[in-house]
Amino acid sequence: MSQEKKVVVVTGCSQGGIGYNLCEQFAAQGCRVFATARRIEAMSGLEAFGCEKVKLDVTDEASIKAAFEEIYAKAGHVDILVNNAGAHAIGALLDTDMKMARRCLDVNIFGTLGVCKEVGRRMAERRSGTIVNIGSVVGYVATPWAGIYCLSKAAIHSMTDALRMELAPFGVHAMVVAPGSIKSNIGDVATASISLPEDSLFTRFRKSIETRATSSQAPGCTPTDVFAKNVVNAVMKPRPRNYFTYGRLSTIFLIFYHLPAWLKDTILSRMLGVSKVKISSKND
């Protein structure tokens, strides 16, 4: 008797992003894959890999409910949920565009929570399932010029830790995947999210802020397909780990996590241009 295909749902599967490649790799492992995004047309090409496309806006509760009603009607259950949908926000915290910040937190934190609520209960009732939440190495260690994004990913890590403990008695596992620098369209998304008003205290740091927006796309970053293949292999194991951290710079950030705060701050400030400009007086 052939083994039943694992049913996988991935959020945030637009072309050029990590979710798109995750769908390809899950399909290559013989899974039945439901790819989701706000716009069906943004996932063009995934049908060639056998993926089924469903419209889903993670910030809209009605959209979440409708999407999973469709998925459960077709597949009956979900074995693996990957919360990958995300938004960015770049700039100094004091320059934060509150609309942009709320959008980032709404997608990254509350969108993930909303989808977990919709699927987690059904997994618990079935006594089986794996929830994969995409965090980040900046969820371990915050950097200058991306405070809102960093706090959103730290929240994802904390959320997943709590979820893992709460769902363990029901046979459901929750894990964090923390990417390092992975080749994707996130650099364009991050650049579009930059907040730097004309009266900013940080105008002289413009170049550093712009560099931070695209830092994850620097030469040598991990190809998306390589990252996705390693993630899928980790998730598909009989006993997936609690945290899977992978990609360029991931080891460095794990080391930063264990450094004294003063040393970590000094290194990151130098790396990201904070210490290159001396603010000597109010009129400088």
Side-chain angles (χ1 to χ4, degrees), residues 240-271:
R241 61 180 72 176
N242 295 340
Y243 276 74
F244 181 72
T245 306
Y246 187 84
R248 181 177 178 270
L249 299 181
S250 58
T251 300
I252 292 175
F253 271 80
L254 287 173
I255 292 171
F256 284 164
Y257 179 74
H258 294 286
L259 292 179
W262 70 267
L263 181 55
K264 174 193 66 181
D265 289 356
T266 299
I267 295 171
L268 285 170
S269 292
R270 288 177 179 173
M271 287 176 60

Side-chain angles (χ1 to χ4, degrees), residues 19-206:
Y20 194 95
N21 283 84
L22 287 172
C23 289
E24 290 183 16
Q25 293 298 328
F26 275 116
Q29 291 269 13
C31 299
R32 182 177 183 182
V33 180
F34 288 90
T36 73
R38 286 182 299 161
R39 297 182 299 111
I40 292 290
E41 59 271 22
M43 299 182 284
S44 177
L46 283 176
E47 61 276 4
F49 302 95
C51 301
E52 300 170 62
K53 298 182 290 187
V54 177
K55 183 178 180 180
L56 170 60
D57 180 350
V58 300
T59 66
D60 183 336
E61 290 185 32
S63 177
I64 294 173
K65 186 170 292 293
F68 282 99
E69 282 181 357
E70 178 180 344
I71 291 167
Y72 278 97
K74 290 179 176 178
H77 68 277
V78 173
D79 294 295
I80 299 170
L81 167 67
V82 183
N83 282 303
N84 170 73
H88 229 302
I90 294 292
L93 279 170
L94 297 187
D95 287 339
T96 297
D97 179 303
M98 296 304 289
K99 184 177 180 180
M100 185 74 71
R102 289 189 180 96
R103 170 68 182 170
C104 180
L105 301 184
D106 198 17
V107 174
N108 295 1
I109 301 175
F110 298 109
T112 296
L113 178 59
V115 176
C116 284
K117 286 183 63 177
E118 185 67 29
V119 179
R121 184 181 182 90
R122 302 200 205 199
M123 285 183 169
E125 290 171 347
R126 193 168 176 261
R127 301 295 190 268
S128 177
T130 299
I131 295 174
V132 183
N133 292 332
I134 304 297
S136 172
V137 292
V138 300
Y140 298 129
V141 179
T143 71
W145 319 133
I148 297 297
Y149 181 74
C150 295
L151 75 86
S152 76
K153 291 303 183 177
I156 289 295
H157 291 201
S158 294
M159 182 195 306
T160 310
D161 289 342
L163 193 64
R164 182 171 55 254
M165 290 183 280
E166 292 170 357
L167 289 179
F170 298 95
V172 178
H173 182 61
M175 67 181 289
V176 171
V177 168
S181 296
I182 311 299
K183 182 68 176 175
S184 72
N185 60 2
I186 196 170
D188 295 335
V189 174
T191 298
S193 75
I194 292 175
S195 294
L196 189 64
E198 291 183 3
D199 62 348
S200 172
L201 294 171
F202 304 96
T203 53
R204 67 188 75 193
F205 296 97
R206 176 182 295 275

